[in-house]
């Protein structure tokens, strides 16, 4: 089944985790299981932007994370900030780093996945690789750890740097390598799905230029499913 039925039960504690706020923007931590924006159904109205708007009514969404993905999201508090930050995402000037636990042991320590993606329309919201019709999608990866879980099943912790920002890009690119992300109910096979209670994908670091004073802003949040503590993003890929 492409999109298994589920009951939307977003986490409530903490209700809202604000990492930073000034006159131009709010940076928040979105937990796994919470929508970035409201869904169409009434029972899917709770979302990160809805919660932020309860405190900051002018906040608008600049970018999104999948419901099952946790991590850093920046929201704009005025039109100028929205325009400025959105342009950085559009021009790929932001710096993003994700971490994922994937099934199996990757043979390469580092690499690039350059596979165009398109919506798998009959099975939406799933995406798929399509070299003829797909939009360019590029991900850089490096392996942090190769290990085994308590049942002896192999997994790898990988750092992922998306150069483009296609829907489900990291999930489909890891699948294309033969290493689906653990706990992924859309793309993982049965063993990889059963190895984790949630999607093991986390937007750990985000860097961009402040819309007013023009200095680089760096935000980082610990990986909830790993004890690994990476260096700051600015030091690793500037």
């Amino acid at each position: 089944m492409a999109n298994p039925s589920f009951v939307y039960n977003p986490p409530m504690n903490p209700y809202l985790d604000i990492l930073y706020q000034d006159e131009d923007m709010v940076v928040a931590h979105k937990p796994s299981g919470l929508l970035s924006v409201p869904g169409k159904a009434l029972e899917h109205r709770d979302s990160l932007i809805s919660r932020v708007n309860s405190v900051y009514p002018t906040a608008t969404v600049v970018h999104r994370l999948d419901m099952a993905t946790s991590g850093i999201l920046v929201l704009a508090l005025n039109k100028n900030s929205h325009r400025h930050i959105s342009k950085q995402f559009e021009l790929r000037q932001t710096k993003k780093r994700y971490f994922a636990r994937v099934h199996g042991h990757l043979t390469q320590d580092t690499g690039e996945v350059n596979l165009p993606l398109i919506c798998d329309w009959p099975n939406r919201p799933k995406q798929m690789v399509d070299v003829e019709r797909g939009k360019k999608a590029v991900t850089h990866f490096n392996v942090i750890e190769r290990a085994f879980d308590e049942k002896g099943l192999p997994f790898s912790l990988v750092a992922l740097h998306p150069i483009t920002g296609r829907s489900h890009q990291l999930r489909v690119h890891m699948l294309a390598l033969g290493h689906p992300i653990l706990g992924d109910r859309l793309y993982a096979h049965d063993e990889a799905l059963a190895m984790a209670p949630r999607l093991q994908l986390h937007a750990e670091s985000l860097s961009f230029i402040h819309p007013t004073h023009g200095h680089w802003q760096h935000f980082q949040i610990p990986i909830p499913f790993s004890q690994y503590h990476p260096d700051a993003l600015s030091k690793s890929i500037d």
Side-chain angles (χ1 to χ4, degrees):
M1 188 174 182
N3 188 17
S5 59
F6 74 101
V7 176
Y8 185 45
N9 186 26
M12 302 301 290
N13 187 23
Y15 184 75
L16 183 58
D17 187 4
I18 300 295
L19 306 177
Y20 175 83
Q21 181 268 328
D22 62 21
E23 293 182 354
D24 295 297
M25 63 187 186
V26 171
V27 179
H29 171 216
K30 189 194 81 66
S32 175
L34 179 67
L35 290 166
S36 293
V37 298
K40 294 180 180 179
L42 183 61
E43 60 268 27
H44 297 160
R45 301 305 292 173
D46 189 12
S47 65
L48 180 67
I49 184 58
S50 302
R51 295 181 181 188
V52 171
N53 283 152
S54 68
V55 183
Y56 304 101
T58 64
T60 54
V61 173
V62 175
H63 63 123
R64 303 182 187 185
L65 294 175
D66 294 342
M67 181 188 72
T69 303
S70 58
I72 297 172
L73 270 180
V74 59
L75 305 102
L77 292 179
N78 54 65
K79 291 182 179 180
N80 180 68
S81 295
H82 186 105
R83 181 169 56 251
H84 192 287
I85 301 173
S86 294
K87 197 69 174 178
Q88 293 182 61
F89 277 94
E90 179 185 341
L91 297 177
R92 303 172 189 169
Q93 295 171 337
T94 60
K95 300 177 182 180
K96 299 173 284 184
R97 181 173 63 192
Y98 292 69
F99 283 87
R101 291 172 71 222
V102 303
H103 186 271
H105 290 165
L106 283 78
T107 56
Q108 291 180 260
D109 290 335
T110 63
E112 177 185 281
V113 184
N114 188 345
L115 293 171
L117 302 178
I118 194 172
C119 179
D120 183 2
W121 194 250
N123 298 307
R124 58 191 183 278
K126 293 182 72 174
Q127 309 291 308
M128 64 181 185
V129 174
D130 190 317
V131 295
E132 294 182 354
R133 299 174 297 154
K135 293 182 179 180
K136 184 178 180 64
V138 180
T139 301
H140 295 163
F141 69 87
N142 60 287
V143 177
I144 305 300
E145 175 190 25
R146 296 178 179 89
F148 296 89
D149 70 6
E150 62 278 1
K151 295 182 179 179
L153 299 174
F155 71 88
S156 301
L157 178 68
V158 294
L160 301 170
H161 301 277
I163 306 305
T164 53
R166 306 301 177 198
S167 180
H168 295 186
Q169 175 177 315
L170 302 180
R171 300 162 74 174
V172 178
H173 275 176
M174 289 300 98
L175 176 67
L177 289 181
H179 300 280
I181 298 176
L182 303 185
D184 192 338
R185 68 184 189 89
L186 288 183
Y187 299 103
H189 50 65
D190 289 346
E191 184 172 277
L193 179 62
M195 287 175 68
R198 54 152 286 192
L199 177 69
Q200 305 283 277
L201 180 61
H202 180 66
E204 178 266 347
S205 292
L206 176 64
S207 299
F208 56 92
I209 297 172
H210 193 281
T212 298
H213 58 61
H215 298 149
W216 275 96
Q217 303 292 289
H218 306 287
F219 300 98
Q220 188 172 14
I221 191 168
I223 309 166
F225 45 78
S226 174
Q227 297 300 310
Y228 177 66
H229 297 288
D231 292 335
L233 180 61
S234 58
K235 295 179 181 179
S236 62
I237 66 170
D238 265 0

